[in-house]
Amino acid sequence: MNAAPLFVVAGPTAVGKGTVVRRLREMHPQVTLSISVTTREPRPGEVDGVDYIFVSDAQFDRMVDNGDLLEWAMVHNQNRYGTPAAWVDEQRENGLPVLLEVDLAGARQVKRKVPGCRSIFIEPPAWEDLQRRLLSRGTETLEEQARRLRTAREELAAAGEFDVVIVNHDVDRTAVELAEAMGLN
Ligand code: 5GP
């Protein structure tokens, strides 16, 4: 039996990926979103096992050594994030399409390891939109904002590596376009 499809969604910080993916899942609840493992501290309101699986550096090291992660990356030069491979395999074997929302380095690893996966890049209408969103979010320090903007520039340059590029003018429209790119109707 063929496994259900795997989709990987990437895009620069503050482009609104999280909101688009949430909207997509309201429209298509059969799509399962992988819960990543991370070494970063939980933010207020985040729940372990729901938003992320929060682990220590030592636990993350062990998962890497054991080959438990389909991909992993250090994001914004700060914390490590990774996708548990067994969970993804299990969902797909049970016929459930899986969506991964990862950074560019992670997306590149998944594309290499899973040739049949479909990759989608979400980009802002203009650089200024991204800048405005990141600054108005107000959740990062100035230093962190600058770091994220540097990463965003590098990430935007990689859009051409993806199967589909969607410009996020409007969350609802982008979610519909994402669903179309995933073959969901
Ligand atoms: P945040 O700390 O804001 O929750 O996430 C920061 C970034 O980490 C997001 O832009 C997201 O794309 C990336 N990320 C989240 N989970 C994973 C993962 O499992 N693997 C990789 N490579 N990146 C991830």
Side-chain angles (χ1 to χ4, degrees):
M1 196 185 87
N2 282 340
L6 179 66
F7 301 98
V8 57
V9 174
T13 183
V15 75
K17 275 172 299 178
T19 317
V20 168
V21 167
R22 264 198 301 282
R23 187 77 197 87
L24 174 93
R25 294 190 65 231
E26 284 164 16
M27 291 158 45
H28 300 281
Q30 78 275 25
V31 175
T32 50
L33 184 64
S34 165
I35 301 173
S36 300
V37 180
T38 182
T39 58
R40 104 155 146 64
E41 290 294 316
R43 295 187 185 127
E46 283 184 334
V47 179
D48 188 29
V50 176
D51 299 289
Y52 282 104
I53 299 162
F54 296 98
V55 297
S56 65
D57 272 314
Q59 284 172 307
F60 201 99
D61 286 343
R62 252 196 316 277
M63 295 183 87
V64 172
D65 291 346
N66 291 343
D68 292 342
L69 301 177
L70 171 62
E71 62 73 36
W72 71 269
M74 173 80 83
V75 179
H76 304 305
N77 280 326
Q78 260 189 331
N79 292 297
R80 288 180 293 169
Y81 297 78
T83 303
W87 188 88
V88 171
D89 291 345
E90 194 184 304
Q91 299 297 306
R92 295 182 66 207
E93 277 156 21
N94 287 331
L96 298 169
V98 175
L99 180 64
L100 308 180
E101 191 215 313
V102 297
D103 81 326
L104 178 61
R108 284 175 171 156
Q109 292 170 51
V110 176
K111 280 156 61 72
R112 251 197 328 270
K113 279 198 190 166
V114 188
C117 86
R118 195 160 170 76
S119 62
I120 299 133
F121 190 85
I122 300 183
E123 65 180 15
W127 174 252
E128 291 69 30
D129 292 280
L130 203 71
Q131 229 170 356
R132 189 165 7 90
R133 286 178 65 105
L134 185 65
L135 302 185
S136 69
R137 195 153 77 172
T139 45
E140 288 91 7
T141 61
L142 283 179
E143 193 190 339
E144 180 57 22
Q145 284 173 353
R147 182 171 26 218
R148 288 188 175 224
L149 283 172
R150 274 197 303 277
T151 310
R153 270 208 192 279
E154 286 165 23
E155 296 208 327
L156 275 176
E161 297 173 25
F162 286 72
D163 295 322
V164 180
V165 177
I166 301 175
V167 181
N168 187 20
H169 289 283
D170 164 271
V171 173
D172 286 335
R173 202 168 108 197
T174 305
V176 169
E177 288 179 26
L178 177 58
E180 279 167 8
M182 294 171 67
L184 305 166
N185 284 305

